[in-house]
Structures are given as structure tokens and as C-alpha cells.
Amino acid sequence: MLHLIQNKLDKALKLHPASFAHQYIFTGYGDGHILINQIRYEKNLIVMPDRLIEDWPVMSVSQLEVRHFEMLTPYKPEIIILGTGTTHKFPSQSVLSQITKMGIGIEVMDTKACCRTYNILVEEGRRVAAALLI
């Protein structure tokens, strides 16, 4: 179960998981940053329950290519959730189709929704990768 706390002063949302042991999880987010296990990140990255890939070299949704996701295949995620920043934007249909052909599901949402969804999927024991544009 997740407990949500809104700090009215900094407009950042802090997510407090009830029980996650030795996994990367989102513990908060705000404008231009996210918190993973209480550590602040301000650059695009990929998060999996047991792995963190910092400085993901993507600047925008329109720049996304399948090569930006191919590095995930050795980790065998069943689903990639793509957080597209403050607004929900879809990458090209070609990119989505190619990821699906790799045998990986993909869902697209804004980054805040991605953080919340990722934590739920990790709690369920799913093999998930969150690719985030911050």
C-alpha cells in the first residue's frame, strides 16, 4: 500500500511505500525532478526494480528511437512504462510497434503517473522498466 503526502510549500509529492526491500522505487516527484529511494534525480533515466540506468540519452519524445530501448532486452522486462515529462505525449507508432515486436509491452503516460504506476507494478512483483523524461 502506498501512502501519499503532499507538501504544500514545494508542490512536490512524496510517495512512501509500505514495504519494498532492496529495490529501486519512487519516493517522490516534483517539477523537474524525481526521488528514487530518497535520492533526487534531475536527468532522464531508466529504473527497474534491481537496476538504475542514469543519464538516459534522450532529450524529447520526438527523438525516441527503438535503439533507446534495446539496452533493456537483456533484463527481460515484461513491460516498459514511458514517462513523457509533464504532459502525455506519444512516440512514433513505428517505435511503439518495434518495441512490441521485441516481446515487450509498452504504456505511455506523463512522468508523475509513470512513477505511481511503476511502484504499484513493482509491489505486484512485475518485471517493469520505467523510462523517464524528467
Side-chain angles (χ1 to χ4, degrees):
M1 184 170 151
L2 297 175
H3 304 281
L4 304 177
I5 299 173
Q6 176 97 35
N7 182 330
K8 300 283 185 194
L9 297 176
D10 66 8
K11 296 183 182 177
L13 185 68
K14 296 178 182 172
L15 303 172
H16 295 281
S19 62
F20 288 100
H22 310 294
Q23 294 180 326
Y24 290 107
I25 52 112
F26 293 101
T27 51
Y29 52 74
D31 292 336
H33 74 278
I34 56 166
L35 299 174
I36 299 172
N37 296 358
Q38 303 298 333
I39 299 171
R40 185 180 176 117
Y41 295 89
E42 297 178 354
K43 294 184 179 181
N44 301 337
L45 49 76
I46 296 177
V47 184
M48 292 172 273
D50 61 348
R51 187 166 316 279
L52 182 64
I53 300 170
E54 296 183 56
D55 296 326
W56 188 39
V58 176
M59 298 306 293
S60 68
V61 173
S62 62
Q63 180 193 31
L64 284 170
E65 298 176 10
V66 73
R67 68 181 174 88
H68 294 116
F69 300 97
E70 287 174 335
M71 72 172 100
L72 296 175
T73 56
Y75 307 113
K76 301 180 181 174
E78 60 185 275
I79 188 167
I80 296 169
I81 48 177
L82 175 62
T84 60
T86 57
T87 59
H88 185 190
K89 299 175 189 171
F90 282 95
S92 72
Q93 187 58 44
S94 172
V95 169
L96 297 174
S97 295
Q98 290 176 57
I99 292 170
T100 302
K101 286 178 184 173
M102 293 173 10
I104 302 171
I106 184 162
E107 293 291 331
V108 182
M109 55 195 73
D110 68 61
T111 294
K112 291 177 181 181
C114 185
C115 293
R116 295 186 303 266
T117 302
Y118 170 89
N119 281 0
I120 292 166
L121 293 173
V122 169
E123 187 174 24
E124 291 175 354
R126 305 278 300 273
R127 291 185 334 266
V128 60
L132 301 174
L133 297 168
I134 300 175

